Amino acid sequence: MKKLALLGMGACIALAFSSCKSSESAYKKAYEKAKQQELAEPQTAVAAEDVAPVVAAPVSRKVVESAPVGVRQEKVTVVSGANGLKDYSVVCGSFGVKANAESLKSFLDKEGYNAIVVFNAEAAMYRVIVSTFADRASAADARDAFKARYSNRQDFQASWLLYRID
């Protein structure tokens, strides 16, 4: 009986292996067929005289009155902090998440600053403002002093000036 069962199993295994299709995938076959067709197509070269030369059109630029160089213009609204936002501000952090901006604001408040968190709806970013001024020169001086005070913090070295537009 054991011999018959063993013979039956062997027949099943032999039948199973002989009925398997090729191990080559359909994707590989399609790739090979496409490659053969690509090689069979004649390669046509375009003569240089048949190609039209490319002529660059002159670029005209409109002069738009904007903030001075090195200053970003943004329309922002105050989220937290004093509402005394003036024309020029020193931005030391930009975040997509309000909680991160509030965390930096609380750090700066502990350091003695009156930080303000503003929101730029166009960019969907929260900006953390260290100080705000009516003129650009004062704002630039404050930015440089802030960078010097925190020279060991790389994130504060990227501080920039914001010109608030209405």
Side-chain angles (χ1 to χ4, degrees), residues 14-151:
L15 185 61
F17 282 118
S18 65
S19 67
C20 290
K21 292 186 177 180
S22 169
S23 63
E24 197 171 312
S25 71
Y27 295 110
K28 186 173 180 182
K29 287 180 183 178
Y31 174 77
E32 293 296 328
K33 184 177 178 182
K35 197 69 160 164
Q36 290 296 329
Q37 287 177 346
E38 183 180 300
L39 293 175
E41 291 178 7
Q43 300 288 329
T44 58
V46 178
E49 58 270 358
D50 292 343
V51 177
V54 176
V55 179
V59 176
S60 62
R61 294 186 179 178
K62 287 184 180 180
V63 176
V64 178
E65 188 171 323
S66 63
V69 176
V71 178
R72 294 185 199 173
Q73 280 187 333
E74 292 183 358
K75 183 175 184 177
V76 294
T77 55
V78 175
V79 175
S80 68
N83 197 9
L85 196 61
K86 297 179 182 163
D87 290 338
Y88 291 93
S89 301
V90 178
V91 177
C92 67
S94 297
F95 302 95
V97 178
K98 182 180 177 185
N100 294 344
E102 291 291 343
S103 174
L104 180 58
K105 177 192 178 306
S106 66
F107 168 78
L108 292 169
D109 288 344
K110 289 176 187 173
E111 292 287 310
Y113 291 97
N114 291 322
I116 303 170
V117 175
V118 296
F119 182 68
N120 177 344
E122 188 175 299
M125 294 294 286
Y126 293 91
R127 312 290 193 198
V128 180
I129 294 176
V130 177
S131 52
T132 183
F133 300 92
D135 63 302
R136 182 180 184 273
S138 299
D141 291 341
R143 177 198 58 205
D144 296 341
F146 181 76
K147 286 181 176 182
R149 180 175 176 184
Y150 295 101
S151 60

Side-chain angles (χ1 to χ4, degrees), residues 151-163:
S151 60
N152 59 334
R153 292 213 31 187
Q154 286 295 348
D155 54 340
F156 287 164
Q157 297 306 308
S159 297
W160 49 277
L161 297 182
L162 167 73
Y163 179 75

